[in-house]
């Protein structure tokens, strides 16, 4: 039987420059991509999605699948519930570059299938091809009931922003990022009633595609009973996991295959293993600071050093003690 650890004041102090937002302000202020999705790299200056293109509204499956497959920039608004067919793709539907997919109101929902952001998987390709999918924004959607992943990002896709969505009940991952993808931010989402939440790097043998890539920011997400992989990371470095709220999970973050994670300002409540570097495969690296652990069975495992995220982008975290209030109030659909 595990021994309960209580850490109500593990580490609270943060930079004196931190700005404290009330719950009503938490999600509303963020209207542009931040974190790694904001970085000027790979010929893309930040993540703008369909900005500059037409705005269209999808209310049917046919409309939605047509719009996300078009080559030009588009802002695709989703109204109501759209069912994504399984067909021959196991329910995964391709999103082209320069798209913003955004739900209208509080009830925009994709059900039954998932979104694939990336070219077909090919192990022989070890550097970004010229037609790599990039510059995609997905916001304010509920995604549930997929027969595979809810969102899959793969094959060197870059500058992707996944923000203020609600994910539940997918058969595999909720948001998986793999095969050399880069410069991604996953922010202000709620994950619930889901098992294997997020992979970052899909396989221990995929270093040829992943080493030097998989730079992802995870911030202000609500892991609301989502069991594991929140996220489970291979190779990616640096990976920035900050100001997330973990509640009733078997484990929070796992770092393996020399991945490098900065775990900062998170709040863990009733999590068996908040952070691990000794998990499976080669050991990872983890720098942990300013996190709070309450009723957790193990401490956070730390190892090695990691390049600071501030060398890539500026950010101002909340204090960890504020996370249980700020994150549930601002994360998920209907909060922008």
């Amino acid at each position: 039987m595990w021994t309960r650890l209580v850490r109500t004041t593990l580490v609270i102090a943060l930079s004196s420059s931190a700005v404290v937002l009330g719950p009503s302000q938490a999600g509303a202020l963020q209207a542009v991509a931040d974190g790694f999705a904001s970085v000027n790299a790979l010929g893309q200056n930040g993540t703008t999605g369909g900005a500059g293109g037409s705005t269209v509204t999808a209310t049917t499956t046919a409309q939605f699948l047509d719009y996300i497959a078009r080559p030009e920039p588009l802002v695709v608004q989703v109204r109501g519930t759209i069912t994504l067919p399984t067909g021959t793709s196991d329910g995964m539907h391709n999103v082209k570059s320069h798209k913003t997919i955004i739900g209208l109101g509080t009830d925009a929902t994709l059900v039954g299938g998932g979104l694939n952001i990336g070219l077909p998987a090919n192990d022989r390709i070890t550097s970004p091809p010229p037609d790599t999918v990039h510059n995609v924004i997905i916001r304010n959607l509920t995604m549930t009931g997929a027969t595979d992943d809810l969102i899959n990002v793969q094959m060197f896709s870059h500058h992707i922003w996944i923000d203020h969505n609600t994910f539940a009940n997918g058969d595999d991952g909720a948001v998986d990022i793999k095969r050399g993808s880069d410069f991604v931010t996953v922010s202000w989402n709620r994950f619930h009633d889901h098992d294997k939440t997020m992979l970052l790097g899909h396989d221990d043998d995929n270093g040829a595609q992943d080493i030097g890539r998989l730079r992802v920011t995870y911030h202000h997400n609500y892991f609301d009973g989502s069991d594991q992989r929140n996220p489970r990371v291979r190779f990616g470095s640096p990976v920035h996991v900050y100001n997330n709220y973990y509640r009733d999970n078997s484990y929070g973050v796992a770092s393996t295959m020399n991945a490098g994670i900065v775990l900062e300002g998170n709040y863990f409540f009733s999590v068996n293993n908040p952070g691990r570097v000794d998990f499976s495969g080669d050991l990872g690296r983890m720098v942990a600071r300013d996190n709070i652990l309450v009723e957790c069975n193990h401490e956070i495992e730390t190892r090695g050093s990691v390049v600071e995220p501030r060398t890539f982008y500026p950010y101002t975290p909340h204090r960890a003690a504020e996370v249980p209030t700020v994150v549930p109030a601002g994360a998920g659909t209907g909060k922008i």
Side-chain angles (χ1 to χ4, degrees), residues 21-28 164-166 186-191 218-224 242-247 264-267 317-333 335:
L21 301 181
S24 64
Q25 299 171 286
H164 278 97
N165 304 287
T166 298
V186 180
S187 57
W188 293 102
N189 302 287
R190 179 183 175 222
F191 300 88
Y218 300 92
H219 75 83
H220 292 92
N221 297 291
Y222 184 12
F223 297 107
D224 185 8
Y242 78 94
N243 280 168
N244 300 284
Y245 182 32
Y246 293 84
R247 189 193 66 82
E264 174 180 18
N266 302 283
Y267 194 104
H318 284 89
R319 293 185 301 113
E322 297 173 299
V323 165
T325 300
V326 170
V327 170
T333 309
K335 305 290 181 68

Side-chain angles (χ1 to χ4, degrees), residues 90-122:
D90 202 19
M92 299 304 294
H93 300 276
N94 293 329
V95 179
K96 295 288 189 179
S97 298
H98 308 298
K99 297 292 180 294
T100 296
I101 303 172
I102 186 166
L104 295 175
T106 61
D107 63 348
T109 302
L110 300 180
V111 62
L115 301 179
N116 182 68
I117 303 171
L119 301 171
N122 188 333

Side-chain angles (χ1 to χ4, degrees), residues 8 31 56 101 200 217 222 250 281 286 296 311 333:
T8 56
V56 295
I101 303 172
L200 180 56
T217 304
Y222 184 12
S250 63
M286 184 103 70
C296 295
T311 66
T333 309

Side-chain angles (χ1 to χ4, degrees), residues 302-321:
T302 60
R303 176 178 178 266
S305 61
V306 182
V307 173
E308 282 295 325
R310 289 190 193 279
T311 66
F312 290 88
Y313 56 83
Y315 66 99
T316 304
H318 284 89
R319 293 185 301 113

Side-chain angles (χ1 to χ4, degrees), residues 175-177 186 191 195-201 214 216-219 221 223 226-234 236 239-242 244 246 249 251-256 259-263 266 268 273-276 279 286:
V175 178
D176 283 358
I177 302 167
V186 180
F191 300 88
D195 181 12
K196 299 174 181 178
T197 311
M198 292 189 295
L199 281 179
L200 180 56
L214 298 181
V216 180
T217 304
Y218 300 92
H219 75 83
N221 297 291
F223 297 107
S226 55
D227 188 53
Q228 58 179 312
R229 301 183 180 178
N230 299 299
R232 188 242 198 269
V233 182
R234 297 174 172 95
V239 176
H240 193 193
V241 181
Y242 78 94
N244 300 284
Y246 293 84
N249 322 103
Y251 77 83
V253 182
S255 177
T256 66
I261 296 174
V262 174
L263 188 67
N266 302 283
F268 296 89
N273 280 285
R276 304 187 67 181
F279 186 71
M286 184 103 70

Side-chain angles (χ1 to χ4, degrees), residues 30 32-39 161 184-185 187-188 217 219 242 313-314:
Q30 188 180 353
V32 295
D34 61 0
F36 275 112
S38 70
V39 174
W161 184 32
V184 180
T185 296
S187 57
W188 293 102
T217 304
H219 75 83
Y242 78 94
Y313 56 83

